[in-house]
Amino acid sequence: MLTIPFAVVIILAQAPAVAQVCPADLMRIDGVDVAAPANRLVQAYGTPIARNAMDGEHYEEEWVFDKAHAYLISGRVEHLASSRQGSCTGRGICVAGTLDDAKQRFDGFVRSEDGNSLHCADTESACSLVVEGTPRIRRLVLQCLP
């Protein structure tokens, strides 16, 4: 049976139905892209605090870091979330910045109905970036659908 972590379902449910296409430089957090090999996570975040097998889940493994976590399939990143101070996208949208600043850096973001996040997606790769938090950004989430 295919299951998706509850947090992913909540994030996807909060994301607007129609988002603008994310440019490639937004689809990167702390230099880590979707499909990056696991060793890229170690380069960006250090040794994981925990590595958990995801038996029966869509993802094969979860890597937990201080204020960041990633889900992997076949040793490659499929989901990355960071709330680390200083974590940034390739376009300079960072944790502790503002949603207004993020919107200025990429006008194609769509704001969630509750106003607490911004979202854009790459339909070709079925991946998206969610920028969460108001007034200050508290988390960046890069994720791909199964």
Side-chain angles (χ1 to χ4, degrees), residues 2-146:
L2 177 66
T3 58
I4 298 173
F6 183 69
V8 173
V9 174
I10 289 173
I11 291 166
L12 292 175
Q14 292 175 350
V18 179
Q20 300 296 311
V21 174
C22 286
D25 60 342
L26 275 178
M27 301 299 283
R28 180 179 313 117
I29 298 174
D30 299 329
V32 180
D33 300 279
V34 167
N39 68 343
R40 185 67 196 100
L41 288 168
V42 174
Q43 291 170 350
Y45 299 109
T47 303
I49 296 168
R51 292 174 60 175
N52 304 310
M54 304 290 289
D55 294 334
E57 300 285 337
H58 167 69
Y59 303 108
E60 294 171 356
E61 194 171 18
E62 175 189 34
W63 285 25
V64 180
F65 303 91
D66 181 34
K67 297 185 181 179
H69 72 271
Y71 295 110
L72 292 85
I73 297 174
S74 300
R76 298 201 171 269
V77 176
E78 290 293 316
H79 172 104
L80 174 61
S82 179
S83 59
R84 284 182 167 197
Q85 194 77 353
S87 279
C88 298
T89 68
R91 193 167 280 202
I93 296 168
C94 302
V95 169
T98 66
L99 291 183
D100 289 339
D101 179 52
K103 186 82 167 147
Q104 287 177 354
R105 291 178 184 266
F106 177 58
D107 192 43
F109 275 123
V110 174
R111 194 174 292 268
S112 64
E113 286 184 24
D114 64 9
N116 292 329
S117 66
L118 300 173
H119 175 263
C120 67
D122 176 0
T123 54
E124 186 175 313
S125 66
C127 298
S128 65
L129 174 71
V130 180
V131 180
E132 300 176 343
T134 187
R136 295 281 179 196
I137 296 169
R138 62 179 169 74
R139 188 164 82 145
L140 303 170
V141 181
L142 181 60
Q143 60 198 5
C144 295
L145 294 175

